[in-house]
Amino acid sequence: MRGDRDGTAGFLTARQRRGVFEVDEDCALAELELAWADGGYHGFCAEGGTWSAITSAGEVLTGDTPDALNRKIRAHWQAMQ
């Protein structure tokens, strides 16, 4: 934090810097698709705080974060092996 001449703390606005726990949904969805599309997973989506993917059998897997969805997909994939 730096002080400005006007005595304010000089915080950055939300447009200048992403919060620690904010996720770039488009980027995360693209990475999930890149990692899992060849494994038969598709329809990656993030809506209202729920992340989801559809298996090749039509089953919907969900998680509350991209990491949680990735873990669900990995567990599903391992169970199918």
Side-chain angles (χ1 to χ4, degrees):
M1 181 169 76
R2 72 184 195 325
D4 288 339
R5 289 182 195 194
D6 64 359
T8 63
F11 291 104
L12 297 174
T13 65
R15 275 183 256 155
Q16 293 172 316
R17 182 176 241 177
R18 187 185 331 273
V20 174
F21 297 105
E22 291 180 29
V23 174
D24 181 334
E25 289 182 1
D26 292 334
C27 184
L29 290 169
E31 290 297 322
L32 286 166
E33 187 170 4
L34 181 65
W36 291 108
D38 288 343
Y41 301 90
H42 63 279
F44 294 92
C45 180
E47 188 72 34
T50 301
W51 294 74
S52 62
I54 303 170
T55 70
S56 57
E59 206 177 335
V60 177
L61 305 176
T62 63
D64 59 355
T65 65
D67 189 50
L69 176 58
N70 188 59
R71 286 192 304 267
K72 291 255 181 113
I73 295 170
R74 182 173 302 281
H76 181 269
W77 184 80
Q78 287 175 335
M80 301 302 291
Q81 299 305 306

